[in-house]
Every structure is written in C-alpha cells, then in structure tokens.
C-alpha cells in the first residue's frame, strides 16, 4: 500500500521561529510537492521537486524554502514563521513516467503560528 | 494558464439524494482530470480519474465523464450517504507536466 507520511499532524509555533515540516514517501516517486490549504482558496502549490537536490517554486513560495537531500524525503522550511502562515500543509508525490500523474497525499500538518 | 473552476459550496443534501458537483477546466492540450476527496481531518485521496475524452471514471458509486466539447468533468452520484460528507476537489494535469491544478473545493454535507 502506497504511503506518504508527514512528521506531525498538529504543530503550534511562535512568531519568528524556524519551522521544519517533513514528508516521506515509500513509493520511489521522483516528484514531490508541498501545498498549503486554506478555506475558500483550495490547494496552492508552494514548492515542488522533480529530483534529489532539485526544486522549483510554485505559486506562493514567499516565506518558504525546501530541501530534498534524499529521494524519499522532502522538507518544507519556514525560515521565520508568521501568523499568516497558519494553515494546513499537505505533501504529495507522483511518478514522472505515465500519463495521468496521479498525486498521492499525506495526512496533512495543521500549523498554528501564534 | 491552466485553471479549474468548480461549483461553490457548501452543498447540503439529504441522504439518498442525487448529487452533482460541477467542474470545468481550461488547459492547453489534453489534460488528465481527477476528483479528489478529503474526509474530515485527513489528507486528499484520489476518488476517480479520466485520462482522455469520453472516458468515464468511477469509484464508490461516484462517476464523472471527461467531456472535451464542454471542457467539463462533473461529479455525480445517484444516492448519497452520510459517509460521503467531505470536501471534493476537481483537478487537472497536462501530459508532460507533473503539476496539478486544483479547484477551490466543494464542501458536501449529507444529512440523515
């Protein structure tokens, strides 16, 4: 059974803290993604990676960075957390080959910045 | 750029009612189309998909047909259950592009 796991389901951090969100997939997928989900806005792509050490900005990269040192792991970093980064964060992965690019999602991390 | 527009919610139905959630897309080329479902407190799960025109995706009693002429992929179910209460997302991807474009989601509540 395919699996994408995220390090925390719930996280509470203070303004200005550095925050790490971890995502691991066991499907040997090349591509990994970080989204944030907010009511009324749907899913917005923050960053994605199509290979180890490769990354590309999504639609809303400001205030975030990412790291992909191993194929199975993709980390999202909030350099200095702010209250407007309070959100649900979703990680996903997919293969490069094939025609449908179905993405597999983790359970999400609900981050609250106070 | 690519975009997906889906019916705004929330949608509230009685158990055993017929469900339609509209979804239309704009894309260059021939995208694959998806419906994802998110149950309370969980991540997104793929509900069904279609990869070419006139394909019908189906799963758990839900269906959606890829209509190229109307650029639509409406989600339907003949008789909804309380357990179908969730948020539903329509999404598209273009061949050769691993990124998905999502709609804003439709919250569905089924009352007994």
């Amino acid at each position: 059974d395919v699996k994408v796991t995220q390090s925390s389901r719930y996280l509470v951090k203070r303004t200005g803290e550095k925050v790490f969100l971890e995502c691991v997939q066991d499907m040997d997928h090349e591509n990994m993604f970080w989204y944030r989900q907010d009511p009324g806005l749907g899913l917005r792509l923050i960053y994605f990676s199509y290979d180890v050490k490769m990354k590309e900005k999504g639609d809303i990269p400001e205030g975030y960075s990412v790291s992909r040192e191993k194929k199975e792991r993709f980390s999202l970093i909030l350099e200095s957390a702010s209250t407007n980064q309070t959100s649900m964060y979703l990680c996903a992965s997919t293969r490069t080959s094939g025609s449908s690019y179905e993405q597999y999602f983790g359970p999400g991390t609900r981050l609250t910045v106070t | 750029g690519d975009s997906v527009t889906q019916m705004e919610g929330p949608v509230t139905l009685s158990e055993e009612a017929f469900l339609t959630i509209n979804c239309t897309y704009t894309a260059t080329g021939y995208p694959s189309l998806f419906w994802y479902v998110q149950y309370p407190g969980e991540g997104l799960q793929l509900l069904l998909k279609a990869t070419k025109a006139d394909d019908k995706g189906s799963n758990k009693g839900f269906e959606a047909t890829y209509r190229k002429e109307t650029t639509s992929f409406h989600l339907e179910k003949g008789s909804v259950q309380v357990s179908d209460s969730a948020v539903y997302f329509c999404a598209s991807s273009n061949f050769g592009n691993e990124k998905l474009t999502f709609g804003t989601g439709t919250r569905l509540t089924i009352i007994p």
Side-chain angles (χ1 to χ4, degrees):
Chain A
D1 202 16
V2 298
K3 206 160 186 184
V4 179
T5 56
Q6 295 183 228
S7 50
S8 306
R9 293 299 301 272
Y10 300 94
L11 211 51
V12 180
K13 296 292 182 180
R14 294 198 180 278
T15 301
E17 279 192 80
K18 190 168 186 175
V19 182
F20 293 86
L21 303 182
E22 304 283 339
C23 175
V24 177
Q25 50 95 3
D26 66 358
M27 297 165 280
D28 201 36
H29 283 169
E30 296 84 2
N31 306 294
M32 297 186 74
F33 306 81
W34 275 106
Y35 297 90
R36 63 177 282 177
Q37 181 183 7
D38 300 288
L41 298 177
L43 273 71
R44 295 180 291 169
L45 181 64
I46 304 171
Y47 267 98
F48 68 102
S49 168
Y50 50 90
D51 201 353
V52 175
K53 297 193 185 295
M54 306 300 283
K55 61 184 180 184
E56 285 201 21
K57 293 180 180 179
D59 300 318
I60 53 163
E62 296 78 18
Y64 303 94
S65 62
V66 290
S67 171
R68 189 152 180 218
E69 298 295 319
K70 293 185 178 181
K71 190 176 185 179
E72 67 271 17
R73 188 180 297 269
F74 191 35
S75 303
L76 180 69
I77 303 155
L78 285 64
E79 296 290 343
S80 178
S82 64
T83 55
N84 63 12
Q85 293 178 309
T86 292
S87 186
M88 169 73 95
Y89 290 88
L90 294 167
C91 176
S93 70
T94 189
R95 294 193 183 285
T96 294
S97 59
S99 61
S100 64
Y101 297 111
E102 171 187 344
Q103 289 190 10
Y104 295 86
F105 283 82
T109 296
R110 186 165 292 283
L111 172 68
T112 302
V113 182
T114 62
Chain B
D2 296 357
S3 67
V4 173
T5 302
Q6 65 180 100
M7 177 175 167
E8 288 206 18
V11 174
T12 302
L13 295 172
S14 297
E15 205 166 19
E16 299 184 3
F18 184 86
L19 168 71
T20 301
I21 301 178
N22 291 337
C23 172
T24 57
Y25 67 90
T26 60
T28 53
Y30 301 98
S32 295
L33 301 172
F34 308 83
W35 277 101
Y36 282 83
V37 58
Q38 184 180 36
Y39 298 105
E42 298 184 12
L44 275 68
Q45 304 173 24
L46 180 68
L47 180 60
L48 53 84
K49 67 181 180 183
T51 58
K52 60 183 187 296
D54 300 325
D55 265 3
K56 178 185 281 188
S58 61
N59 187 23
K60 299 182 181 179
F62 290 89
E63 293 182 340
T65 301
Y66 189 140
R67 301 282 188 205
K68 183 166 171 285
E69 63 278 10
T70 55
T71 62
S72 65
F73 193 54
H74 304 322
L75 183 68
E76 296 183 335
K77 186 174 185 182
S79 176
V80 292
Q81 306 301 313
V82 172
S83 58
D84 294 327
S85 298
V87 181
Y88 292 81
F89 291 92
C90 186
S92 71
S93 79
N94 255 316
F95 186 82
N97 183 349
E98 298 86 350
K99 291 194 290 182
L100 292 182
T101 300
F102 285 88
T104 54
T106 302
R107 181 175 297 279
L108 173 67
T109 302
I110 307 301
I111 53 176

